[in-house]
Amino acid sequence: MISEIQRNFAKLSQAMGFQRSPSSKQKVKPISKENNDENGGDHSINARTTSNPPDSDTSDASYNSWMVEHPSALDSFDRMIKAAKGKKIAVFLDYDGTLSPIVDDPNRAFMSDEMRAAVREVAKYFPTAIVSGRSREKVKEFVELSNVYYAGSHGMDIQAPPRPVKACEGKYHTLVPGKKGNEVLFQPAKKFLPAIQEIIKELEEETKKIQGARIEDNRFCISVHFRQVREEDYSVLQEKVKAVLRNYPDFDLSEGKK
């Protein structure tokens, strides 16, 4: 049983671009040579970023330094399972740059069939959640799996796998009938949806003359992409976004990296 779980984690790791070499030293093959930014964007408002290993042409010192900070769980799998004895293990995965490559067009950040199969197998053994700044619907459309949890808008829109439940408790929970069972949604920010749509309209109007700027509606949060914006326009775009949000004190601005 343990060896089968380990094999499935190895498949997931390999699909992500982390591959073992014949030697005992693990080689890392980045899924993308570009910076790993949430939503496949440039610099996203309300975005979270994760780390990618250094490019394959960097020095061994850089590689070793990265591996110290980001060790492979597979190298300590037995110890990890032993420490988890009597506990429930859950797996949380980002989407952009983890399950899919980083691309210039966020709408084309497709995951491979190999990756999908690996995630499906891991989810058979552990509760598995895919967490993203994207809208839940968009991530679900990309992943196409029914046995995982989807957490869109950085956790403001969560959907559990279909299950035979007839009712759910909680102020922000909603029960949605489905073909394979009822789906439970957790959406604590519903009251902000009208304001979010207002902000999107204002941002689109204020940024329409900035070439390369792109506003993405993630339902419960908004991303402003500027990967394709000219460097001299960065500060202009940033100020326009901040100016819009000054009228909405209930909303926060978080900044990612290009």
Side-chain angles (χ1 to χ4, degrees):
M1 176 69 170
I2 296 298
S3 60
E4 185 176 356
I5 294 174
Q6 187 172 8
R7 282 196 299 272
N8 284 311
F9 269 114
K11 290 178 183 177
L12 180 62
S13 182
Q14 183 175 359
M16 288 180 183
F18 293 80
Q19 302 176 7
R20 286 178 174 274
S21 67
S23 67
S24 60
K25 180 180 178 181
Q26 186 186 40
K27 296 293 184 181
V28 176
K29 183 178 180 182
I31 197 168
S32 170
K33 288 188 177 181
E34 300 177 30
N35 284 333
N36 188 355
D37 291 352
E38 180 76 12
N39 298 339
D42 316 319
H43 166 67
S44 300
I45 305 305
N46 282 336
R48 305 292 186 272
T49 57
T50 54
S51 297
N52 255 357
D55 290 346
S56 56
D57 58 352
T58 55
S59 66
D60 285 342
S62 178
Y63 166 84
N64 291 332
S65 175
W66 189 90
M67 284 302 297
V68 169
E69 295 184 15
H70 307 86
S72 170
L74 292 176
D75 290 338
S76 305
F77 189 83
D78 292 338
R79 183 160 57 91
M80 182 178 71
I81 293 297
K82 184 177 180 180
K85 188 176 182 180
K87 302 176 183 178
K88 192 168 186 177
I89 298 176
V91 178
F92 293 86
L93 300 167
D94 188 16
Y95 185 76
D96 292 281
T98 300
L99 300 183
S100 73
I102 294 296
V103 294
D104 288 335
D105 182 357
N107 291 322
R108 299 192 62 79
F110 304 118
M111 69 187 297
S112 66
D113 291 337
E114 178 188 12
M115 179 68 77
R116 184 174 292 104
V119 174
R120 182 188 293 112
E121 287 302 309
V122 168
K124 289 180 180 179
Y125 298 97
F126 305 108
T128 300
I130 299 173
V131 186
S132 176
R134 289 179 180 266
S135 69
R136 172 181 54 81
E137 292 90 345
K138 174 57 73 174
V139 176
K140 188 176 180 181
E141 179 183 321
F142 277 138
V143 177
E144 298 180 324
L145 292 176
S146 61
N147 64 339
V148 301
Y149 292 79
Y150 292 97
S153 302
H154 301 299
M156 289 293 101
D157 189 5
I158 301 175
Q159 177 182 329
R163 57 187 62 193
V165 294
K166 296 182 179 180
C168 60
E169 298 179 357
K171 181 179 179 181
Y172 304 114
H173 292 78
T174 305
L175 197 64
V176 180
K179 294 181 180 179
K180 296 183 179 181
N182 293 326
E183 298 174 344
V184 178
L185 299 181
F186 175 72
Q187 299 173 324
K190 272 188 174 181
K191 69 177 183 178
F192 294 106
L193 286 175
I196 290 173
Q197 291 305 308
E198 290 178 10
I199 294 173
I200 290 174
K201 290 180 181 178
E202 291 186 32
L203 286 174
E204 289 176 340
E205 179 64 27
E206 291 296 322
T207 63
K208 65 182 181 182
K209 293 183 179 180
I210 300 179
Q211 186 176 356
R214 185 174 182 276
I215 310 300
E216 183 176 6
D217 180 359
N218 294 314
R219 191 164 193 209
F220 291 100
C221 68
I222 307 163
S223 293
V224 180
H225 300 285
F226 73 100
R227 173 168 292 176
Q228 298 178 359
V229 172
R230 294 178 303 179
E231 188 171 353
E232 56 266 33
D233 291 334
Y234 288 172
S235 59
V236 177
L237 176 61
Q238 187 177 49
E239 182 51 42
K240 285 184 177 294
V241 172
K242 290 181 178 179
V244 169
L245 289 182
R246 288 190 190 106
N247 298 321
Y248 298 90
D250 290 330
F251 291 82
D252 292 324
L253 172 66
S254 62
E255 301 183 8
K257 62 182 180 179
K258 185 178 179 184

